[in-house]
Amino acid sequence: MNAAAGNTSRPDLAAMVVPLGRALMAAEQPVLDAHGLTMWAYAVLSHLDEAPLRTQAALAEAIHADKTRIIPVLDDLESRGLLTRRPDPQDRRVRLLSLTPEGRRLRDTVRAAVQEGEERLLGQVPPADREAFLRTLRTLYEASRGRPAR
Amino acid sequence: MNAAAGNTSRPDLAAMVVPLGRALMAAEQPVLDAHGLTMWAYAVLSHLDEAPLRTQAALAEAIHADKTRIIPVLDDLESRGLLTRRPDPQDRRVRLLSLTPEGRRLRDTVRAAVQEGEERLLGQVPPADREAFLRTLRTLYEASRGRPAR
DNA sequence: TATTGTTATACTCTATAACTATA
DNA sequence: TATAGTTATAGAGTATAACAATA
């Protein structure tokens, strides 16, 4: 019932993906530290850049964080002039979030450095495999978001 | 400098791998629950099966756990007759760990169920991509273990 | 004195619940 | 009364440090 016969004993997917994720996070930590960003702060910057969100709750959900968890993060980023948080005139309960130019710039800088490190790791992989890997990773990632893994 | 020109804006690897890992763990949680195993307990069973280890410290390191963290786990597994923990006659400070037949059986059962779920997820991926993905994942996983991600 | 395993303690991270303001 | 955001509190998970047994 396996793609490759005889290969009944591959490691669990999770047993490889989770540690790899930990390693990737650890690898990008020094980059984040250098710019005074926590992982959550970087996640916020990344997500705000690609899709401006209306509510903090939506942002929290997008990055799989509790809504109470990102508040100190937003406080910090706002005080550093990296994003703005203004009441929506239409519904003053809601905070409109948007990246400042400096916020976008920082995000680009950090992302470039992060991906440079990742490229180094991917360098060990043959180009053909590499493309298939990235494509599949994306597919599985999207799939895992579609259904919250049940 | 990219494999595919113009594709400068791929998501960070970590931003896909980490959530995918979380989803995979969440997906296998019900299976573990059904057998009264925590994630750490399953990690212990898995690692003991493939390579019998001499010391608890070595086991802890192998599964990226603190040595103090696995002690309650070992207590539980031992009391359930899934593994034995005996002092090494050669050096009575050391505890020799080995899976009992029931431990191995449970491990096989759970692993089959876990991988069945993973196969379902992988079913969405074209066979060619799938092989490349698994091969590459394995490569990157090994690489990330070689250097503890610095 | 150094090392394996264990126990006790403290700390960090995360979520729950209570509160304010708008609607 | 219901919802967005915030604050305060409690809980889970983790690591640090002290301890006992053996070498």
Side-chain angles (χ1 to χ4, degrees):
Chain A
M1 285 69 182
N2 257 348
N7 190 12
T8 22
S9 63
R10 70 158 170 84
D12 294 344
L13 233 51
M16 293 189 286
V17 171
V18 171
L20 177 59
R22 261 198 291 259
L24 288 170
M25 270 177 44
E28 73 179 52
Q29 194 64 58
V31 178
L32 298 180
D33 290 348
H35 295 277
L37 291 176
T38 64
M39 198 180 31
W40 289 117
Y42 180 54
V44 165
L45 291 183
S46 295
H47 252 83
L48 277 185
D49 194 28
E50 58 193 42
L53 292 169
R54 241 184 98 264
T55 73
Q56 295 184 185
L59 172 62
E61 195 192 337
I63 62 176
H64 290 104
D66 194 276
K67 63 173 178 170
T68 65
R69 202 153 74 190
I70 61 171
I71 290 178
V73 177
L74 295 175
D75 289 346
D76 174 58
L77 294 176
E78 188 182 23
S79 76
R80 288 163 66 185
L82 298 171
L83 62 78
T84 58
R85 183 160 50 161
R86 306 199 322 155
D88 184 345
Q90 311 243 314
D91 180 346
R92 298 228 305 285
R93 292 174 303 183
V94 172
R95 305 275 172 272
L96 296 174
L97 302 168
S98 56
L99 244 48
T100 64
E102 303 90 69
R104 182 160 289 113
R105 199 161 25 193
L106 178 60
R107 190 225 109 113
D108 289 344
T109 302
V110 173
R111 197 173 82 160
V114 165
Q115 297 207 359
E116 190 188 310
E118 294 179 348
E119 290 297 322
R120 239 191 335 270
L121 184 69
L122 284 172
Q124 312 171 15
V125 178
D129 276 9
R130 178 201 152 110
E131 265 196 63
F133 175 75
L134 287 174
R135 180 170 50 240
T136 304
L137 177 58
R138 212 155 177 164
T139 301
L140 296 179
Y141 168 68
E142 305 285 347
S144 77
R145 288 187 68 82
R147 300 188 185 176
R150 216 223 126 56
Chain B
M1 284 71 183
N2 256 348
N7 190 12
T8 23
S9 63
R10 69 159 169 82
D12 295 343
L13 234 49
M16 293 189 286
V17 171
V18 172
L20 177 59
R22 262 199 289 260
L24 287 170
M25 269 177 43
E28 73 181 51
Q29 194 64 58
V31 178
L32 298 179
D33 289 348
H35 295 277
L37 292 176
T38 64
M39 197 180 30
W40 289 118
Y42 180 54
V44 166
L45 291 184
S46 295
H47 252 83
L48 277 187
D49 194 27
E50 58 194 44
L53 292 168
R54 240 184 101 265
T55 73
Q56 294 184 184
L59 172 62
E61 196 192 337
I63 63 175
H64 291 105
D66 194 275
K67 63 173 179 170
T68 64
R69 202 152 77 192
I70 62 170
I71 290 179
V73 177
L74 294 176
D75 289 345
D76 174 58
L77 293 176
E78 189 182 22
S79 76
R80 288 162 65 185
L82 299 170
L83 62 78
T84 58
R85 182 160 50 162
R86 306 199 323 156
D88 184 346
Q90 312 244 314
D91 179 347
R92 298 228 307 285
R93 292 174 303 183
V94 171
R95 305 275 173 273
L96 295 174
L97 303 168
S98 57
L99 243 49
T100 64
E102 302 90 71
R104 181 160 289 114
R105 199 159 27 192
L106 177 60
R107 190 224 110 113
D108 289 343
T109 303
V110 172
R111 197 172 84 159
V114 164
Q115 297 206 0
E116 190 189 310
E118 293 179 348
E119 290 296 323
R120 241 192 332 271
L121 184 69
L122 284 172
Q124 312 170 17
V125 178
D129 276 10
R130 177 201 153 109
E131 266 197 63
F133 175 75
L134 287 174
R135 181 169 50 238
T136 305
L137 177 59
R138 212 154 177 166
T139 302
L140 296 179
Y141 167 69
E142 305 285 348
S144 76
R145 286 186 70 81
R147 300 186 186 179
R150 202 196 146 76

